[in-house]
Amino acid sequence: MAKSTGTATSKKAAGTTKKADAKPPKDMKPAAVPASKKTAKAAAPASSKTKAAPAARKPASRPAPKTLPKANADIAPAVEKPWLASYPDIIPAEIGPLPAASIGALLVEACQRFASRPAFTCMDKTISYAETERLSADFGAFLQSRGLAKGARVAIMMPNTLQYPVAMMAVLRAGYVVVNVNPLYTPRELEHQLKDSGAEAIVILENFASTLQAVVAKTAVKHVVVASLGEMLGGPKGTIVNFVVRRVKKLVPAWSLPGHIKFAAALRTGRAGTFKPAEVSADDVAFLQYTGGTTGVSKGATLLHRNVLANVAQNALWVETAFIKRPRPANLVYVCPLPLYHIYALTVNALMGMQQGAQNLLITNPRDIPGFVKELAKYKVNIFPGLNTLFNALLNNEDFRKLDFRPLVLTFAGGMAAQKSVADRWKELTGCMISEGYGLSETSPVATANRFDADAFTGTIGLPLPSTELSI
């Protein structure tokens, strides 16, 4: 199993599984590859120019593991890490101090540093980093005006829309805990998660409000914020989008939630008030990230700010391997077809993307492949996190095969094993290899990944990231 021992300086602590503050269950579900691949290939290194041999095969002939930074020497685990010999020279063994005291602080710093850059784009509407910071402060002030105490659970139940990063950042900055909810949940599933998490507030897209209506009276939810697809698009376009979604496509079932407030109105209310940044430490809970596990009902992995911050730092180091052979684009563009309510896109796209000042292209409905391809045609995408089934569906689309892939630097696969046949076709079409990784909600999530400068698809989950311990 992958193990990351947490400290405030260098290690990533594995999140514990939460069910009404109970002890972690024994069954934890891998989030990226089948167990057979994890146990058989967890430490297989990606190819590199130095042609380093796999660590486990000839331990006697390997160079000594890299020296830990002095600041972390006193907390270094007394375990061998033979995979370090397969690290490129630019990647350290440990991540060093965490980049910020809390996730909110990390995101605010990013918004200030990259203020004028585009942060998130959805349906041709873009909000800058400065706007993201301001909107999150407005929504945070609204939440605080509801009288929620520090540590209160706030559920977010929506697909990839502009409201998601604003709400997520606001909740964390205000000192609350994000409870990510799959918007496709049935009423029974939603009721379980809201009760289990103790959520007192929820931000939900109107398309799924009828699901909440069926169960809200049975939960502790007191504050309901309802968003619409068009409200942040502005002008006539927003009105047209809402009309089409509600009246033409009939994607919004009738619903009634007395006392609710619309997302746009909540922003106005917060803007009229004052946001007071909460005192949040690295040891405070940031997310209750629900995962199916292997048996029973969904269980919440309790992720502290330091857990997630550490994984952002780990990924930020590892992504540099993508620029060993290819130049780093001046302004990175990520595409985000995977749901932000899932730990994979949440960490890789929303959090690491913001840490790097990237523009995230949010895809609300990636199952609409023709619509997805039209969005891809508008932007020079550099980094493409996805999964095997999505890559396969795109490869089978004629218009996708006509796109210009020259800007593409990195394609990263998680969530399930990538098939070699799909990887080979992807490389032939795009010129970019698919790199696999492995993770789970409890590890925030990425634990291992192939080197992004490798020349061939390995079919393995790669190497443990810096500050990660892994045993088989």
Side-chain angles (χ1 to χ4, degrees), residues 80 128-129 188 214 223 289 291 296 300 381 433 470:
E80 270 192 69
S128 69
Y129 275 83
R188 179 186 61 80
H223 311 286
Q289 193 67 34
T291 176
V381 173
M433 187 191 67
L470 191 146

Side-chain angles (χ1 to χ4, degrees), residues 60-74:
S61 64
R62 288 178 167 254
K66 295 184 179 181
T67 304
L68 298 177
K70 291 182 179 180
N72 300 322
D74 59 333

Side-chain angles (χ1 to χ4, degrees), residues 164-212:
Y164 182 94
V166 170
M168 179 269 295
M169 185 173 171
V171 172
L172 296 173
R173 292 181 70 187
Y176 306 132
V177 178
V178 174
V179 181
N180 279 312
V181 182
N182 185 337
L184 299 181
Y185 268 172
T186 64
R188 179 186 61 80
E189 291 169 326
L190 176 59
E191 179 184 349
H192 161 73
Q193 186 163 329
L194 293 178
K195 284 182 174 180
D196 190 69
S197 65
E200 299 177 48
I202 186 170
V203 187
I204 187 171
L205 192 69
E206 64 177 357
N207 303 51
F208 314 104
S210 62
T211 304
L212 177 62

Side-chain angles (χ1 to χ4, degrees), residues 30-83:
V33 298
S36 60
K37 182 165 286 189
K38 179 180 80 169
T39 55
K41 301 180 179 180
S47 61
S48 68
K49 288 183 177 180
T50 58
K51 298 183 179 180
R57 295 180 183 174
K58 296 182 180 180
S61 64
R62 288 178 167 254
K66 295 184 179 181
T67 304
L68 298 177
K70 291 182 179 180
N72 300 322
D74 59 333
I75 55 172
V79 296
E80 270 192 69
K81 294 184 177 180
W83 53 81

Side-chain angles (χ1 to χ4, degrees), residues 241-328:
V241 167
N242 280 338
F243 177 80
V244 171
V245 168
R246 295 167 181 167
R247 307 300 180 191
V248 180
K249 295 187 177 181
K250 301 188 184 302
L251 296 176
V252 182
W255 57 274
S256 175
L257 291 166
H260 79 275
I261 185 172
K262 292 184 178 180
F263 191 87
L267 289 175
R268 291 193 295 270
T269 299
R271 193 172 304 129
T274 302
F275 174 66
K276 300 176 181 178
E279 293 185 7
V280 180
S281 78
D283 288 317
D284 286 332
V285 178
F287 295 93
L288 294 185
Q289 193 67 34
Y290 278 74
T291 176
T294 55
T295 59
V297 296
S298 181
K299 306 169 184 67
T302 303
L303 303 180
L304 309 182
H305 282 261
R306 62 182 168 89
N307 299 145
V308 181
L309 285 168
N311 202 237
V312 170
Q314 290 171 307
N315 282 296
L317 283 177
W318 202 255
V319 77
E320 292 302 314
T321 64
F323 310 120
I324 292 175
K325 297 178 180 178
R326 301 187 185 202
R328 170 190 282 273

